[in-house]
Amino acid sequence: MQQFINGLSLGSSYALLGIGVTLVWGVLGILTFAHAQTMTIGAYAALITLDRGYPVIVGVIAGLVVAGLFSGLMDLALFTPLRRKRAPEFAFVIVTIGVSQISDAFEASRTRSQTLPFPRKGFPVEPLTLLGRNVPRLSLVMLVTSVIVMAMLGYWLHRTKSGTAVRAVAYSRDTGELLGINSKWIFASCFFISGTLAALAGIFLAASSGQLSHSSNDAILLLAFAVIVLGGMGSIRGAIVGGLLLGLVSVYATVYVSSVFREAVAMLTILVVLVVRPSGLFGEKATTRV
Amino acid sequence: MIKIEDLVVRYGAVVALRGISIEVEAGEAVSVIGPNGAGKTSLMRCLAGLIKPSAGSIMLDAQRIGGKAAHIVSRQGVVLVPEGRAILAPLSVKQNLQMGGYNQPKAEVKASIDDMIALFPVLGRRLDSAGGLLSGGEQQMLAIARGLMAKPRLLMLDEPSMGLAPKVVDNILDALRLVAGLGTSILLAEQNASLALDITERAYVLVNGEIVASGAAAEVGEDLLERYLS
């Protein structure tokens, strides 16, 4: 039970991150390597705010806004011109790698490459007794938050006018424009939302470990991509199920095999799923856009 | 209403339009006829704002729309039903229509959808199907209906007959006549000259990026068409 909750909680941070990446990769088709840095920037913004004595809620909001703006401005400043020039997909990938390296260097220099303690005061870190077991309260909060965020995002994309416009632009930017949709703002707002989700995951992870460094989230990026491939490209539901599954597998692998094999077992799971279902758990069959 | 003067479109070294001038009056239906590769699609995409003109001007009444972003041109009432229909395949028929009315008030979108179902009853039966699952003819109807959802002043259609059975084409032509009758201006790009001349009052003949003939549909002689289009 304990391990199950731990797995779900780790998985929900994967899922949050996965949803954010899904939005820009699965939906808009931009594979962003800057996501881990966005996550870290959000967590730093929260850390700085909390260190100045502001309450947790203010710290979290500051983290979300800063990471959202970082992500949204990256789109407006760098991707909008690329899109206007109809740059090949690979150009976007290289730019995100560049942004990630630059911001990593910046963070490393600001913190002198040190791991900073992340203030946990005010976060729900004390354990909760559930069915006779001790369960970290923060894990439950993470889990519940991810599920709520997933539901909201799914509702937005499929049931609202602006969400439908996102899917229209994602399918064809030209067609969206012909219908009177300002695609530039659609892209920028998706990047903003994706950034806030990354920050949320980053803050959760920093609060549960109690520390933060410029390279805290580097290893997680690959997992976020794995989550998406596992869940199925472009599927929000897939990202959350993929994230939770990967979290559970990681925790059980650590407990029953060895922490050395944690990532390996997680990747093995993905391989098995992909061999059986190449489009991922919730992915639609690969279709060609005509 | 829309006046295009000396429009030039280039793709790098390739010149697609070599300084053409076209005019469409309010309420008028005009066609641009030309063979494959004449520059019809470049013209339509440029008017819609998807391609920037290299030279020349596009005026909508007193407003300059040449070079403006496509979503702004669309908001001004110049709406393109693109070649190949460009249905948003994962979205339902209803959502495709709703997106057509993206800049219209909510209440009007609802009423317009009912109007579109009256115009193309087949869409009413498939409202919840994914757009990508419709037949070619149904997709063309959806594309036109989606264009009309924006309540355009000028509806531009790029090869609406392409790849469709004659009976379906007749259906679509009937609908376009109805639309034109209600006062919407139409600019139709077609390879099929007799079809285009059938529903438009005036025609321009576009060959190799240049207008080689123009006039009332009856005057643009069959022999001229044959000379350029055969």
Side-chain angles (χ1 to χ4, degrees):
Chain A
M1 181 69 190
Q2 178 89 54
Q3 301 311 333
F4 185 71
I5 294 284
N6 284 343
L8 285 185
S9 124
L10 181 66
S12 43
S13 63
Y14 291 168
L16 274 180
L17 198 63
I19 296 169
V21 177
T22 289
L23 202 56
V24 295
W25 187 25
V27 180
L28 303 179
I30 298 169
L31 178 59
T32 168
F33 281 84
H35 215 69
Q37 289 309 319
T38 310
M39 208 175 156
T40 312
I41 285 172
Y44 269 126
L47 185 148
I48 292 167
T49 316
L50 293 174
D51 271 349
R52 299 204 167 156
Y54 289 100
V56 164
I57 183 73
V58 178
V60 171
I61 290 172
L64 299 192
V65 171
V66 168
L69 287 177
F70 173 76
S71 183
L73 290 175
M74 173 173 75
D75 180 67
L76 283 176
L78 302 172
F79 298 149
T80 301
L82 285 179
R83 239 175 264 127
R84 199 183 305 129
K85 291 177 181 143
R86 298 183 191 267
E89 204 173 333
F90 206 60
F92 290 86
V93 176
I94 298 293
V95 167
T96 65
I97 292 175
V99 168
S100 134
Q101 299 285 323
I102 292 165
S103 45
D104 182 64
F106 183 72
E107 285 158 14
S109 87
R110 285 300 300 247
T111 58
R112 300 200 177 89
S113 297
Q114 280 173 350
T115 301
L116 304 178
F118 191 89
R120 302 176 68 179
K121 192 168 159 272
F123 280 95
V125 283
E126 68 280 14
L128 180 79
T129 313
L130 197 74
L131 302 172
R133 312 267 176 159
N134 277 344
V135 174
R137 201 184 291 250
L138 190 62
S139 303
L140 283 176
V141 173
M142 266 164 100
L143 187 58
V144 171
T145 309
S146 319
V147 171
I148 293 173
V149 166
M150 171 197 73
M152 279 167 53
L153 212 58
Y155 182 86
W156 177 59
L157 281 175
H158 291 271
R159 295 272 178 272
T160 69
K161 183 175 154 183
S162 59
T164 309
V166 168
R167 293 196 298 139
V169 169
Y171 184 73
S172 162
R173 189 166 64 94
D174 278 356
T175 306
E177 281 277 327
L178 287 179
L179 300 176
I181 303 170
N182 186 342
S183 60
K184 189 163 99 174
W185 286 108
I186 293 278
F187 275 99
S189 38
C190 284
F191 269 89
F192 179 88
I193 292 170
S194 161
T196 60
L197 295 178
L200 199 56
I203 294 169
F204 269 142
L205 286 176
S208 36
S209 67
Q211 55 186 27
L212 179 65
S213 88
H214 69 98
S215 57
S216 283
N217 298 314
D218 290 359
I220 277 178
L221 184 69
L222 190 63
L223 282 175
F225 291 157
V227 161
I228 307 227
V229 176
L230 179 63
M233 283 283 278
S235 164
I236 303 275
R237 200 168 33 155
I240 200 134
V241 174
L244 294 179
L245 192 64
L246 215 55
L248 284 173
V249 169
S250 301
V251 167
Y252 280 113
T254 313
V255 174
Y256 294 108
V257 189
S258 150
S259 62
V260 179
F261 286 107
R262 194 170 106 155
E263 262 84 34
V265 173
M267 289 301 163
L268 189 67
T269 315
I270 291 169
L271 286 183
V272 171
V273 170
L274 287 184
V275 167
V276 179
R277 247 189 96 82
S279 54
L281 292 172
F282 289 91
E284 287 158 19
K285 272 194 206 132
T287 47
T288 329
R289 292 176 187 178
V290 182
Chain B
M1 182 184 68
I2 193 162
K3 194 169 182 183
I4 301 141
E5 277 184 323
D6 303 320
L7 185 68
V8 178
V9 169
R10 279 196 203 95
Y11 303 102
V14 181
V15 185
L17 296 176
R18 304 164 187 276
I20 66 168
S21 300
I22 285 177
E23 206 171 332
V24 182
E25 297 295 338
E28 204 184 14
V30 173
S31 53
V32 176
I33 308 168
N36 225 343
K40 299 189 298 295
T41 295
S42 296
L43 171 65
M44 295 307 224
R45 288 175 67 85
C46 183
L47 294 182
L50 290 176
I51 313 173
K52 298 247 180 295
S54 308
S57 80
I58 306 168
M59 302 289 290
L60 180 68
D61 294 328
Q63 244 178 334
R64 216 184 160 83
I65 57 167
K68 291 230 169 93
H71 68 270
I72 293 171
V73 174
S74 161
R75 281 175 203 180
Q76 308 268 5
V78 176
V79 171
L80 172 65
V81 178
E83 185 183 21
R85 357 231 193 258
I87 293 306
L88 300 164
L91 272 59
S92 70
V93 168
K94 191 174 178 188
Q95 286 173 326
N96 267 279
L97 291 173
Q98 283 167 338
M99 285 297 105
Y102 185 73
N103 290 306
Q104 302 293 321
K106 205 174 170 185
E108 276 185 41
V109 169
K110 248 191 167 136
S112 299
I113 290 180
D114 292 339
D115 292 346
M116 292 310 130
I117 294 172
L119 189 64
F120 298 116
V122 64
L123 297 181
R125 293 191 287 275
R126 315 246 2 215
L127 275 183
D128 296 321
S129 316
L133 296 177
L134 301 190
S135 71
E138 288 166 341
Q139 288 198 355
Q140 187 61 63
M141 292 178 202
L142 176 57
I144 294 172
R146 191 180 61 186
L148 290 170
M149 288 292 296
K151 301 199 186 295
R153 297 177 59 201
L154 174 68
L155 183 70
M156 304 188 290
L157 302 115
D158 193 357
E159 301 265 4
S161 73
M162 195 195 269
L164 299 183
K167 207 179 144 199
V168 180
V169 173
D170 283 345
N171 250 333
I172 285 167
L173 292 189
D174 286 343
L176 288 181
R177 276 193 203 98
L178 208 66
V179 170
L182 292 173
T184 306
S185 307
I186 288 182
L187 184 62
L188 171 69
E190 258 295 345
Q191 204 172 336
N192 182 339
S194 57
L195 180 156
L197 295 176
D198 191 25
I199 60 159
T200 53
E201 293 131 34
R202 279 195 309 120
Y204 293 86
V205 181
L206 182 67
V207 177
N208 211 359
E210 280 173 300
I211 301 285
V212 295
S214 66
E219 289 166 21
V220 177
E222 290 288 328
D223 57 324
L224 182 74
L225 288 176
E226 262 169 39
R227 185 143 52 95
Y228 286 108
L229 301 184
S230 56

